[in-house]
Amino acid sequence: MANDCGFESVGALIDATVPPHIRKDGPLELGEFSEAFTEGQYLAHMKELGAKNKLNKNFIGMGYYGTLTPTVILRNLLENPGWYTQYTPYQAEISQGRLESLLNYQTMISDLTGFPFANSSLLDEATAAAEAMTMCSAMANGKKPKFLVSDKCHPQTIAVCASRADGLGLECIVSSEADFDFSGNDVCGVLLQYPATDGSLNEYGSVIDAAHGVNAKVVMATDLLALTMLTPPGELGADIAIGSSQRFGVPMGYGGPHAAFLATADKYKRIMPGRVIGTSIDQHGNPALRMAMQTREQHIRREKATSNICTAQALLANIAAMYAVYHGPDGLRHIARRVHGLASIMAAGAKELGFKTRSEMFFDTVTINVGEGKAASVVAAAVAKDYNIRQMDENCVSIAFDETSTLEDVNALFSILAGGSCSFTAESLAEGVTQNVGDFCRTTDYLTHPVFNTYHSEHEMLRYLARLEAKDLSLCHSMIPLGSCTMKLNSTSEMMPITWDEFANLHPFAPEDQAAGYKEMIGNLANILCEVTGFDAMSMQPNSGASGEYAGLMTIRAYHHNNGDYHRNVCIIPVSAHGTNPASAVMSGMKIVTCKTDKQGNVDIDDLKEKVEKHSENLGALMVTYPSTYGVYESKIDEICKIIHDNGGQVYMDGANMNAQVGLTSPGLIGADVCHLNLHKTFAIPHGGGGPGMGPIGVKAHLAPFLPSHPVIPTGAMPAVDGKNPFGCMAAAPHGSSLILAISYAYLVMMGSKGLTKASEHAILNANYMASRLADDFDILFKGENGTVAHEFILDVRPFKDSANIEAEDIAKRLIDYGYHAPTMSWPVTGTLMVEPTESESKEELDRFCDAMISIRKEIEMVENGQLDMENNPLKNAPHTQEIVMADKWEYPYSREMAAYPISYLKDFKFWPTVSRVDNVFGDRNLQTTLCCDGVEAYAQAE
């Protein structure tokens, strides 16, 4: 392969590609993990770590609950690579299965919250609240700087909102609802918790009326299971509902990943963050699903985007949706009533023991006054009996029930409260308890669509899951050659521990000594990542790449503020940067100054110097991607870093392209001060059909004290070091989506020092091999000084627009007929295709994809020379479904075989798309984002 690229060895290729002055000197030093673990050794190691975690029965609540994942969903969705290796559904024609599941999710959220419009998931409940706060500010055109937060919200939600408000220039005011001050006409919105963090159900009408009286919006953080019994926020008069779907079958996982939700009124849909799935039709009028309103994406709106959200929690949203499909409305109602019944028995028993409860109305959580100064001792007594409950203050504890709770648990908790044996039992109290939701009792139906009332047996559920899976292309079928997105192997051994009880079922706010195994794993992972990146400290809290960008910039901001440099708020961003970069900078309170790139895709040094000189007094940071977004190692990257440092700024490096750095160079060695890592790219966490992700940040020592912390379980440099404070909190859980950190940990320790370096070398080798094979048929847009590319490359297909009326989208759709997902389309250069093979693919698979592309080029040539019609050809009509190919009538001016089997390997295995090319414009003009009771087919026919 190296010879085909014009080099005598892989080493020679690497030497010609990676600038020598930034090459790492010597191997990665990973200590006990330098030598790669075998799969067996890794799994044994994880069993040892898991044994160090202590699984008490949890009644902590605070937005995290025990749940029973139906095993048919566990085995056939969560543990199934046909679901977890899919990419974000940008190519709708080969994503119809997960799109249907996400439409189910949106319908479920809409039904339960009482709002007509919901997105297909956000990162967690706390960040969803922060996104809702940003929406409220946007609705007020930024002219109302105050956002009121109830002190009855979960503490992690309050902390994340306060941190986000700080960057946006908002004032987050926390108080009881009774003390909300609307008199200044300067409040853009309020946040209420329903039910409250102490479990209470409170009177919300007066607060909602008062807010609306000054045109402030009302956000309600709520609970999906509770809403099967309680009046939904949409009926109470709220404007936005947010929350987490975790307790719908998704394990706690020491904090995540979990799918949050945001639902709102139809009139606010254009400023709602996150992805939205909508219905449409294909080019033959058949019903089809797609991602709607894609023009809101950050790569288009950039610094004008209202959110930097780039990923979602699709895999977890699918699990939650299927949980609702499997149980149906009756099953969910039964679970909710049982949970509420246990809480009611708890309240009755507490009163029988002589204690007072804080509220007479609640759903699943009861707060009990156990006596002055006695709360801590009661919590300790519970831990001694292997139970975790929550200390609210010195006098009160709260006990939250969930699907896994039992009457035996209630009896044990009675004994703990009684300080010994108890004279009555839960069973004896059960018949006497009544519903305790007062006037909040729900009266409207929900989940009435047939999909939620059909698949209640395991056999039918299995078949439904399999039918949806069969509609989607994943890494099970072929390589997904997306530039910048690194769709690499997600090995089975990496995935196994995430469903083990000792990792999956730990509450994120359990006492730290119960999470010793997690703590050791996270510490090991942080140390390895520090060595890989050349940094001194690492925060695992950001739970997406875009969140990592934001966390890195907020860390830089806190550093400048600590130095008294409040004026350093200018962020220089090259025009080639990822679209989330400018959005993240704006969220961090920075002003954007763009910098040009030259014809080779490198940062224009002269333009950079000019911009730096102009803004030197106020320079805060530079955001740069390395290798560049054009797939080239910029030889002057160290000079770029020096220019920024010499003028008082900090260098933020986007870690999207770490696949070409690990073991060869590093951000710290190059000169960056902070870098986020897309663990779902370079470090093997699967994309899950559009999430989950993780975006931890590494920093140099001078930035370490400012890394984010957490109000419940402190992280980072807490307490403050020499008066240097963490910038705040940016995720609901202390270590973000802790459960999936085990996947990246597995990748790193099973690769070892040599394997990680070899992976980078092979990523570069594979990209150059493919570029070499395709160079005779396509123009390679950018190359480095020695004629090589990095780990990805850009095919310039723009000339075909003039020669054959063929565009990048036509090639992308035609690739579906060849059994492939398209490369990254029209980014970072409009009208091009960016290819990244990763190190995971065999030469045979690389050749198969190249053969497909070369075959497509021959089809374009047939259009160019008139053998195929310019408007009616296989590319313009692609993709071709089985229904089209098998139809009695064939009216195309080319053969059925050319349409469906243009190349020989397809005779061995053919992946059929279920719809032809989707009509995006129709979908946005006729926006429907929930299931119609008459079915999508009826909707399409009506339109």
Side-chain angles (χ1 to χ4, degrees):
M1 290 171 71
N3 293 161
D4 288 344
C5 300
F7 295 90
E8 62 181 21
S9 67
V10 175
L13 169 63
I14 301 302
D15 288 342
T17 303
V18 185
H21 57 284
I22 62 164
R23 284 289 296 272
K24 180 175 172 58
D25 184 18
L28 290 167
E29 298 293 341
L30 304 182
E32 63 179 302
F33 303 110
S34 289
E35 291 296 322
F37 282 32
T38 65
E39 293 183 55
Q41 287 172 330
Y42 164 72
L43 293 172
H45 173 63
M46 290 303 286
K47 281 292 183 185
E48 291 176 8
L49 291 181
K52 296 179 181 181
N53 293 328
K54 189 173 188 300
L55 282 182
N56 278 11
K57 198 72 180 284
N58 273 290
F59 295 83
I60 297 172
M62 299 175 70
Y64 298 93
Y65 303 90
T67 184
L68 302 173
T69 310
T71 49
V72 64
I73 296 174
L74 179 76
R75 174 63 59 88
N76 297 288
L77 200 164
L78 178 56
E79 296 179 341
N80 182 356
W83 281 88
Y84 67 67
T85 68
Q86 305 157 340
Y87 183 60
T88 301
Y90 287 127
Q91 296 294 335
E93 296 82 2
I94 47 176
S95 308
Q96 290 296 298
R98 95 202 70 147
L99 285 168
E100 180 175 329
S101 181
L102 292 172
L103 192 69
N104 293 346
Y105 178 83
Q106 289 175 182
T107 304
M108 173 187 77
I109 299 301
S110 288
D111 279 11
L112 291 175
T113 61
F115 284 108
F117 205 82
N119 62 26
S120 65
S121 73
L122 294 174
L123 299 175
D124 59 36
E125 181 172 335
T127 52
E131 293 291 340
M133 175 181 68
T134 307
M135 277 182 68
C136 292
S137 178
M139 291 180 207
N141 296 315
K143 295 178 180 179
K144 295 185 175 183
K146 292 182 180 178
F147 186 76
L148 306 180
V149 178
S150 169
D151 58 4
K152 299 181 186 67
C153 291
H154 296 317
Q156 68 272 21
T157 302
I158 294 173
V160 170
C161 285
S163 298
R164 182 75 67 87
D166 187 41
L168 292 170
L170 294 173
E171 185 180 359
C172 182
I173 300 171
V174 182
S175 71
S176 68
E177 289 92 322
D179 296 330
F180 282 176
D181 182 5
F182 296 102
S183 62
N185 197 30
D186 54 1
V187 175
C188 64
V190 302
L191 174 65
L192 307 172
Q193 189 91 40
Y194 170 61
T197 190
D198 63 1
S200 61
L201 293 167
N202 303 287
E203 192 279 312
Y204 300 98
S206 59
V207 177
I208 293 172
D209 290 343
H212 288 164
V214 295
N215 201 28
K217 306 305 177 186
V218 177
V219 182
M220 295 190 88
T222 190
D223 179 279
L224 293 181
L225 191 64
L227 293 182
T228 65
M229 290 184 64
L230 304 180
T231 303
E235 293 179 21
L236 292 176
D239 300 288
I240 303 170
I242 63 99
S244 171
S245 63
Q246 178 268 313
R247 70 190 310 173
F248 274 29
V250 183
M252 288 183 287
Y254 201 46
H258 307 131
F261 62 84
L262 190 152
T264 189
D266 187 75
K267 60 184 175 181
Y268 303 133
K269 63 192 176 191
R270 295 291 167 182
I271 59 171
M272 186 180 74
R275 294 174 176 156
V276 178
I277 308 308
T279 55
S280 188
I281 56 175
D282 70 9
Q283 63 187 17
H284 298 287
N286 298 310
L289 303 175
R290 59 182 283 271
M291 283 175 58
M293 301 191 298
Q294 289 187 32
T295 53
R296 297 180 310 155
E297 295 284 344
Q298 292 78 13
H299 65 273
I300 296 174
R301 299 192 66 181
R302 298 179 72 80
E303 67 270 14
K304 294 181 182 178
T306 54
S307 170
N308 75 334
I309 295 247
C310 183
T311 191
Q313 300 282 27
L315 182 67
L316 300 315
N318 286 331
I319 294 170
M322 290 304 172
Y323 180 92
V325 168
Y326 190 50
H327 287 296
D330 292 339
L332 293 178
R333 192 178 294 112
H334 174 77
I335 293 169
R337 286 175 174 170
R338 183 178 170 279
V339 169
H340 177 64
L342 292 173
S344 299
I345 295 170
M346 188 73 237
K351 292 174 183 176
E352 191 77 16
L353 291 169
F355 300 117
K356 290 183 178 180
T357 58
R358 183 174 288 183
S359 174
E360 290 299 315
M361 289 190 298
F362 50 80
F363 168 62
D364 62 5
T365 302
V366 182
T367 295
I368 305 165
N369 189 321
V370 294
E372 190 169 348
K374 293 184 178 179
S377 62
V378 172
V379 170
V383 169
K385 296 290 186 180
D386 298 333
Y387 284 84
N388 292 334
I389 62 177
R390 179 185 178 192
Q391 181 177 345
M392 297 296 298
D393 53 39
E394 292 184 356
N395 305 329
C396 295
V397 299
S398 75
I399 301 174
F401 292 86
D402 59 46
E403 182 185 10
T404 69
S405 306
T406 65
L407 283 170
E408 291 75 18
D409 294 328
V410 179
N411 282 325
L413 291 164
F414 283 162
S415 297
I416 292 164
L417 288 177
S421 61
C422 189
S423 61
F424 54 87
T425 65
E427 291 84 350
S428 68
L429 298 176
E431 289 187 9
V433 302
T434 57
Q435 189 167 285
N436 289 289
V437 299
D439 294 336
F440 289 100
C441 186
R442 180 167 189 146
T443 59
T444 50
D445 289 335
Y446 50 87
L447 305 185
T448 57
H449 189 276
V451 77
F452 297 107
N453 295 277
T454 302
Y455 306 108
H456 302 326
S457 72
E458 179 163 337
H459 214 160
E460 289 302 317
M461 189 69 195
L462 172 66
R463 288 170 176 164
Y464 182 55
L465 288 167
R467 284 199 298 272
L468 295 190
E469 179 191 345
K471 295 180 180 182
D472 285 16
L473 187 139
S474 70
L475 285 177
C476 298
H477 301 98
S478 55
M479 71 181 288
I480 300 179
L482 287 150
S484 186
C485 285
T486 316
M487 295 294 296
K488 68 198 301 178
L489 173 71
N490 311 123
S491 77
T492 306
S493 290
E494 289 168 6
M495 302 299 296
M496 287 180 67
I498 69 167
T499 53
W500 294 352
D501 282 349
E502 50 266 49
F503 291 104
N505 293 322
L506 197 64
H507 194 289
F509 305 146
E512 288 189 83
D513 60 1
Q514 294 176 20
Y518 256 115
K519 190 173 183 179
E520 184 175 338
M521 182 193 75
I522 292 170
N524 290 343
L525 177 60
N527 291 336
I528 295 171
L529 291 177
C530 281
E531 169 63 16
V532 164
T533 58
F535 287 125
D536 302 301
M538 191 74 52
S539 170
M540 300 296 174
Q541 199 172 101
N543 49 9
S544 77
S547 293
E549 291 177 12
Y550 169 72
L553 292 172
M554 288 295 285
T555 301
I556 288 173
R557 180 176 182 268
Y559 166 77
H560 285 313
H561 286 190
N562 182 259
N563 293 337
D565 294 333
Y566 290 89
H567 56 284
R568 289 198 172 273
N569 63 352
V570 168
C571 186
I572 297 178
I573 304 178
V575 293
S576 61
H578 289 99
T580 51
N581 285 182
S584 296
V586 169
M587 285 170 53
S588 305
M590 293 188 171
K591 298 177 180 178
I592 311 301
V593 173
T594 56
C595 172
K596 298 176 185 176
T597 54
D598 63 22
K599 293 181 179 179
Q600 286 71 46
N602 302 316
V603 171
D604 186 322
I605 297 290
D606 291 335
D607 188 57
L608 176 67
K609 288 179 178 177
E610 181 182 322
K611 299 293 172 57
V612 168
E613 183 177 346
K614 180 178 178 180
H615 299 282
S616 60
E617 289 298 314
N618 299 316
L619 180 62
L622 166 78
M623 298 187 82
V624 64
T625 300
Y626 198 76
S628 76
T629 52
Y630 295 146
V632 176
Y633 288 92
E634 298 187 42
S635 61
K636 296 182 179 180
I637 184 66
D638 52 343
E639 181 184 345
I640 291 169
C641 293
K642 187 175 186 303
I643 291 170
I644 301 301
H645 289 149
D646 287 348
N647 287 273
Q650 297 285 289
V651 176
Y652 167 88
M653 184 172 284
D654 188 310
N657 293 341
M658 278 298 296
N659 219 36
Q661 286 195 48
V662 178
L664 302 176
T665 183
S666 70
L669 177 64
I670 292 168
D673 301 286
V674 57
C675 176
H676 90 265
L677 302 173
N678 294 96
L679 297 189
H680 49 289
K681 292 184 180 181
T682 306
F683 301 102
I685 291 175
H687 285 243
M694 275 292 278
I697 55 171
V699 296
K700 289 289 192 180
H702 65 281
L703 293 178
F706 308 102
L707 289 173
S709 188
H710 196 276
V712 183
I713 306 290
T715 62
M718 283 293 284
V721 178
D722 298 329
K724 299 174 181 178
N725 295 296
F727 74 75
C729 177
M730 63 160 309
H735 304 288
S737 298
S738 308
L739 181 61
I740 56 174
L741 292 175
I743 302 170
S744 293
Y745 183 60
Y747 172 79
L748 290 161
V749 302
M750 287 195 288
M751 294 287 274
S753 176
K754 292 180 180 178
L756 290 170
T757 304
K758 190 174 183 180
S760 298
E761 293 173 348
H762 277 231
I764 295 168
L765 170 67
N766 289 353
N768 279 278
Y769 173 74
M770 293 181 75
S772 177
R773 273 213 64 191
L774 295 173
D776 290 341
D777 295 282
F778 299 89
D779 292 333
I780 310 300
L781 198 54
F782 301 109
K783 292 185 178 181
E785 293 179 355
N786 294 320
T788 62
V789 298
H791 63 303
E792 59 190 3
F793 58 95
I794 297 175
L795 297 173
D796 190 359
V797 299
R798 292 173 296 183
F800 304 140
K801 172 64 176 173
D802 292 330
S803 67
N805 193 34
I806 296 298
E807 301 179 68
E809 184 177 18
D810 299 318
I811 298 172
K813 302 308 180 187
R814 183 58 172 154
L815 271 169
I816 294 173
D817 288 330
Y818 285 79
Y820 281 104
H821 194 290
T824 299
M825 192 172 70
S826 290
W827 190 88
V829 180
T830 302
T832 65
L833 297 170
M834 185 161 68
V835 179
E836 180 180 357
T838 83
E839 79 279 6
S840 302
E841 301 298 343
S842 66
K843 181 177 182 295
E844 290 74 15
E845 181 67 3
L846 303 181
D847 282 330
R848 200 162 70 97
F849 178 79
C850 289
D851 290 344
M853 290 297 295
I854 292 168
S855 177
I856 288 172
R857 177 64 184 96
K858 290 178 180 175
E859 293 174 354
I860 296 172
E861 186 178 348
M862 293 174 72
V863 177
E864 290 170 332
N865 61 29
Q867 290 177 269
L868 288 171
D869 185 81
M870 193 168 283
E871 297 296 335
N872 190 359
N873 59 65
L875 288 99
K876 286 294 182 185
N877 296 326
H880 299 80
T881 65
Q882 196 169 37
E883 181 183 5
I884 292 170
V885 175
M886 297 292 290
D888 290 339
K889 289 186 177 180
W890 179 258
E891 299 176 343
Y892 296 111
Y894 50 89
S895 70
R896 296 177 194 256
E897 184 172 20
M898 186 177 193
Y901 296 100
I903 202 164
S904 61
Y905 68 71
L906 292 167
K907 299 290 180 67
D908 296 325
F909 173 76
K910 170 74 176 177
F911 178 87
W912 289 97
T914 51
V915 297
S916 59
R917 196 173 306 193
V918 174
D919 188 330
N920 292 325
V921 174
F922 180 94
D924 279 349
R925 287 178 178 171
N926 303 277
L927 191 63
Q928 180 185 324
T929 60
T930 56
L931 290 165
C932 172
C933 277
D934 294 328
V936 178
E937 292 84 355
Y939 158 77
Q941 290 166 8
E943 293 296 345

